[in-house]
Amino acid sequence: MVSRVIPVDPFDLTIFGGTGDLARRKILPGLFRRFRAGQIPEGSQIIGAARTDHTDAEFRDEVKTALEEFVDADKLDDNSVAGFLEMIRYVSIDAKGTKGWSELKEHIRDDHISAFYFSVAPSLFGDLAERLHSNGIADDSTRIVVEKPFGRDLESAKALNATLAEHFDETQIYRIDHYLGKETVQNLMALRFGNVLFEPLWNAQYVDHIQITVAETVGVGGRGEYYDKSGAMRDMVQNHLMQLLCLIAMEPPSQFEPDSVRDEKLKVIRALDPVAPDDIVRGQYEAGKNTDSYHADVEDDESRTESFIAMKLNISNWRWAGTPFYLRTGKRLKARQSEIAVVFKDAPHSIFGAEAGRHRNILTIRLQPNEGMTLGVTIKEPGPGGMRLIDVPLDMTFADALGADNDNVTEAYERLVMDVIRGNQTLFMRGDEVEAAWAWTDPIIERWQDKGDKPCAYDPGSAGPEESAMLLHRENRRWREIKA
Ligand code: NAD
C-alpha cells in the first residue's frame, strides 16, 4: 500500500510538562513517529518546557531515553533519531512565576505555526494562558491543547472554560480526548456516512441495542489518590464513553467540518434521558490471588468510589427512542478490550424453522486491541446435511488490511497533535460539549453521594459484578464476552 503522508507546515510546538509522564510516553514518541514518516518538515521546533533545570542537551538525552522505551526498536534508526533530536529545545519555566518566559518568547517565531500543549495539571492552565499573553508570546493565531480531566463537575468545567476564554477564542482551544484520535473512531464516521449500506438501518427500527465496553485489566496502580477522587464515571464515562456514544448516535452532519460534527454530538448529549437508579450498577474490585483490592490500592477501606460502572441509557429522539445503549467500563476486568457493538434485530420471520436457531447481525467496532471492524453475517454451513446456519465474521482488522508497518497507521496522540498543527478542531471537544456532558453526569453522582451509595464487589479477572449481567438479563439480552 502506498504511503500518503502529507507534511504539515513548519511549526513551533511547546510542550508545557515536557518532562512529565504523558509527554514521555505519548506525545514525544508520537511526534517522533510522525517525523520518521516524513510529516514534520525541517525547520520545526519542539520545545520542552517544565520546572526541572535542564540544558537542551540534557533534555535531548531524556527524549532519547523515552523514545528507546516507547517506540518499537525497529523504528529507531540512528538517522531519524538524530534528525528528530535536532528539533528539540528546552526551557526551564515556572508556570506560576517569571522564570523562563522571556527565553521561551525568544524561541517562538512569528512566521511559524505556534501551538502550546498544556500537559500539566489543570490547576496551571489559567497561569499558562495568562503568561502566554502577558509575555507577548500568544496572539490570535496561537493554538493551545489541553488535557483531561477537563473539570470534575459542571461548575469546575465552566470555571476552566471561562479562564481559558479570558485569553483564547474557542477556535484556538483544542481539548483532547484521545479516544477521538483512534483510527477506528474516525472510521466509524466513514462507515456510517461514506456507505449507503448502514445508514438506512441505523435506527430503532433495525437496531435492537448498542453496547459500548471499555475494559481494562490494570487496577488503579500508582494513580490511587487521583482515581479515588474521580471514579469510573468521571474518569471514563463523562468523556471517553460519552464521545463514543455521540459518534455512534449522532445525526449525519452536513459536512465533515468541526462545528457541523460537534453540533450533532452536542444534540445527542442533550437528548439523553436522566438515568434511573435501577439502570446503573457500580462496582469495586476485590483482592485477587496476586492483586490487591481497590480499598488496598487507594489505602482507604471506607472508599465508595467505583472502579466499574455499567448503565443503560436512552436517547429521546426519533432515531433512537426504544433502542437502549448499554455502557460499561472498569478496571481489573477479564481482558483489555474496547469495543462498540451494534446488535441488529432478528429477521422479522425465519424461513428456516426453529432448528436453524437465532441469528443476528452484529457490527463490532474494535478500538483495542487490533483496531478494526467486524460484521457478523449469517450463512449456510458448508456441506451436506440440510440448511444449517452459522454466523461468520466479515473481518476488517486495520493492521491486516492496511499493513501494520504502514506509516499511515498512526496512534491517537500523534494524529491529534498533527490536527492541531493543521488547525483542524473536528476531533476535539468544544467547551459546550464538555459542559453538557457534565450537566448530565452531575445529578447521577450527586444522587450516589446523597444516598451514600455503595458499589457492588466484583472479582478481579471477571466481567464485573453479577448485578451488571442482570442489567441486561432482565431484558433478555446479554453483554458480549470480554476477551482480548
Ligand atoms: P506529570 O506529573 O508526570 O508531569 C507534570 C509536568 O508538569 C512535569 O513536566 C512538571 O515539570 C511540570 N510542572 C509542574 N508544575 C509546574 C510549574 N509550576 N511550572 C512548569 N511546569 C510544571 O503529569 P502527567 O502524567 O504527564 O500529566 C500531565 C497532564 O496530562 C495532567 O493534566 C494529566 O491529568 C493529563 N493526562 C495524563 C495522562 C497520562 O497518561 N500521564 C493521561 C491523560 C491525561
Side-chain angles (χ1 to χ4, degrees), residues 16-23 25-26 49-52 93-96 118-122 124-125 128 147-149 178 226 413:
F16 291 117
T19 57
D21 176 67
L22 184 68
R25 278 193 311 116
K26 296 287 179 188
R51 250 188 326 200
T52 322
I93 208 159
D94 182 3
K96 287 179 165 297
F118 290 12
S119 182
V120 294
L124 296 178
F125 289 179
L128 293 177
E147 264 298 337
K148 90 167 200 187
H178 70 273
Y226 161 79
Y413 272 96

Side-chain angles (χ1 to χ4, degrees), residues 100-113:
W101 289 96
S102 52
E103 195 191 331
L104 179 61
K105 184 176 162 64
E106 281 168 25
H107 282 302
I108 307 296
R109 300 162 295 181
D110 288 345
D111 53 350
H112 283 66
I113 294 165

Side-chain angles (χ1 to χ4, degrees), residues 196-222:
V196 291
L197 285 182
F198 295 104
E199 203 48 29
L201 308 179
W202 212 260
N203 54 53
Q205 197 184 340
Y206 292 102
V207 178
D208 180 73
H209 72 278
I210 291 179
Q211 301 186 12
I212 303 179
T213 298
V214 177
E216 297 177 281
T217 49
V218 292
V220 296

